[in-house]
Amino acid sequence: MSETNELRTTAGGRHCSGNAVGLTRGAAKWLVESSWADRLFAERAPDWFSLENADTAELVKTGHGREVWRVTLGDWQFYAQVHRPSPGILPRRGSRMTPSAEREWNLARGAHARDVPVVHFLAYGRRSGEHAAEVLISEAVPDSETLAS
């Protein structure tokens, strides 16, 4: 099965405070800051939904239905929150319930548009189907410490 990439640019709007690129890779749909798309989805980039199989990823935290991974791509480090809902829980597009990672993406983008200092997400991805999941990617801040105990 070959993987296809379809790109479209979306300026502004509910989900984007700046320019974002819509990207489709297999069963996953992504919104990615346009300046980061090439770096996050380069040939050497991991499958963001299966980081447990990536030698460049380290699991740093787990919680109910969520994993946080530190991923190194060359000189860059990223954090990826992978949300894995219980089977049948991830709502369909058009439903009134918004998935948790998508809600977090939207809230952070809205806060950035209002100059509120919050985490800067670079990409939001959603994969539907039998292995449904969501991923939020942010750039790691050098020399930062986790607030979790």
Side-chain angles (χ1 to χ4, degrees):
M1 174 185 272
S2 66
E3 194 168 80
T4 60
N5 294 334
E6 298 172 10
L7 297 175
R8 68 177 165 72
T9 301
T10 308
R14 181 173 158 232
H15 299 288
C16 309
S17 61
N19 285 333
V21 175
L23 174 68
T24 300
R25 297 188 65 164
K29 299 208 181 294
W30 290 88
L31 285 175
V32 185
E33 290 225 358
S34 57
S35 61
W36 289 92
D38 289 339
R39 189 170 298 127
L40 293 173
F41 296 100
E43 187 175 319
R44 61 186 168 80
D47 175 353
W48 293 99
F49 292 95
S50 300
L51 292 170
E52 62 276 4
N53 299 322
D55 58 357
T56 60
E58 173 191 3
L59 183 63
V60 294
K61 185 166 64 170
T62 61
H64 182 69
R66 187 179 82 151
E67 303 163 341
V68 178
W69 295 83
R70 183 179 359 217
V71 179
T72 303
L73 293 175
D75 293 336
W76 297 91
Q77 281 199 335
F78 302 94
Y79 284 102
Q81 293 180 27
V82 181
H83 296 249
R84 298 186 197 283
S86 300
I89 299 298
L90 190 64
R92 298 180 188 269
R93 274 277 176 224
S95 74
R96 292 173 44 156
M97 192 167 109
T98 303
S100 61
E102 182 179 0
R103 186 171 50 252
E104 195 169 344
W105 164 266
N106 289 332
L107 289 171
R109 303 286 288 191
H112 271 289
R114 292 169 185 79
D115 296 322
V116 176
V118 295
V119 65
H120 184 160
F121 291 118
L122 306 175
Y124 162 72
R126 180 178 184 188
R127 181 176 65 192
S128 301
E130 183 180 351
H131 302 288
E134 296 177 284
V135 176
L136 281 169
I137 302 171
S138 60
E139 184 180 7
V141 177
D143 302 319
S144 63
E145 296 288 329
T146 181
L147 297 177
S149 43

